[in-house]
Amino acid sequence: MTQLHDAASLPGSEWWRTAVIYQIYPRSFADANGDGIGDLPGITSRLGSLAELGVDAIWLSPFMVSPQKDAGYDVADYCDVDPLFGTLEDFDRMLAVAHELGIRVIVDLVPNHSSDQHVWFQEALKAGPGSPERARYIFRDGRGENGELPPNNWESVFGGGMWERITEADGTPGQWYLHIFDVSQPDFDWTNPEVREAFRGVLRFWLDRGVDGFRVDVAHGLIKKDGLPDYTPAEDADSMGGDEEDVPYWGQPGVHDVYRDWNQVLAEYPGNRALCAEAWLPTPEKTALWVRPDEMHQAFNFPYAMTDWNAPALRKVITDSLRAFPAVGAPATWVLSNHDVIRHASRLALTADSPQGEGIGPTSAAQPIPELGLRRARAATSVMLGLPGSAYLFQGEELGLPEVVNLPDDARQDPTWFRTHHEKYGRDGCRVPIPWEASAPAYGFNDSGAAWLPQPAEWAQFARDVEEGDPDSTLSLYRSLLRLRREHALGAGDLTWLEGFGDNAIAFRNGDVTVIANVGATPLQLPAGRILVASGPVTEGMLPTDTTVWLAAD
Ligand code: GLC
Ligand code: CA
């Protein structure tokens, strides 16, 4: 086992309380064999650059065996690596190199549903209604005279209905199964003890290999309300339920038992292994239910991620978060981008609203305003990394990458695009392979030039090697923020709001650092103090609009 796991830690000082965790989307990070899809050897070869960036941990989106109907979030074998990404040996090597560099590794666990190619689902199709094989998933008879109508009216997150009718082994039209997401992603029945036991085994499989924790996919979805009552969401509701109050397939109370059980499994292992919930809930208070002392360790703060560039709204969500998470003994977490949302360098300056999951494309009403978006993104990240707690970064944001809006229609792969008959663009625009070298094939993503989603022609400016040499680049900004965050122990700090900067500022003290962001339209007078870092140019003591500074207290 590595040094990381041997390090003693006092209760309350566990690494995940303050960590900056960098999300790797394996398909789009680095491609060692040149087939156009990123892979584990590619990740290993580029870990040095993440150590230089100064992150504490990486989270890898799924690389397990999968037909890739939802980019790996459709798992056919939870305990093996998909050949597309490499082998288990490649994984072990990647993990060892990361640990040598002092970087912890979190893997993605997808418990809500499997792929329809999972052996259990294939067995369920062959076995008849009422069989133990069917009881691992949510099969029901249809409504209507001949069972020709779905069991209820639920709509899939990706569009269309949430039920699919199967053909029974004898060729007759049969039962229906539930899929919150794509038809290729049948939901498990988490009231079935066999499902629970199987996932304990999956956790142990990866823990035994030395992973430092799990990001738990759709952690608010596993338990459905008894009787599966009809439900119609609000018209413009977020697809993952992040702005809705009482949804029969999100946030049902029974789900917490599952995580109390997992907490016990992780506690058997040394080294403070961690569980992080992907749970879309409307408020920090609700999200905090996932991180009570005997449950998960972290939960993504989606209410924060979904807050517009608006000072009162940001102050409120920060205050609410710093109250709600510590109240249950958990760290606050912060996140602005991931593989499911519009990159924040675009999202923070859109010409119209775009609910989570819908994405943007050439015909969308919402279009980004690139320069403004990047300026706000740099300011927003400079606020986020000044906050106490743990923060998540998404690959490419340290380069200031924007959402790719102009992907050709025939390149798009998100199931949302297909299931809504091209009405919603979906999430491909944030998933384009990232640029490493301005003048290499595929910008250094590989050496063949292939890329599973085409990279825009104007991306040379964002390539890591270009930004490395530029003190004003977004990469240089992220490096400074991460270094200062560590030096001043901001992750373990406390926030005190500062008065006197007006309604359109975000101003707080964290330890010996003062963070001030100007979210308003006119420049702000800065107090005296040495500037440690600024998200944009600052002249003559004035803080321009959409700019953040960190000041030293001395
Ligand atoms: C989570 C993932 C998303 C995926 C969905 C279904 O929200 O982050 O990418 O499509 O779950 O697994
Ligand atoms: Ca590859």
Side-chain angles (χ1 to χ4, degrees), residues 476-496:
S476 298
L477 172 66
Y478 270 68
R479 280 192 187 162
S480 300
L481 293 169
L482 291 170
R483 177 178 50 79
L484 289 161
R485 179 179 172 85
R486 187 181 302 257
E487 283 172 10
H488 292 264
L490 299 186
D494 278 316
L495 177 142
T496 309

Side-chain angles (χ1 to χ4, degrees), residues 70 73 110 113 158 181 185 215 217-218 240 278 280 339-340 427 431:
D70 183 23
Y73 283 94
V110 188
H113 46 267
F158 292 157
F181 297 93
Q185 292 167 297
R215 175 265 188 191
D217 191 63
V218 196
M240 293 293 284
E278 189 221 10
W280 294 79
H339 67 293
D340 292 326
R427 303 157 297 172
R431 300 176 172 181

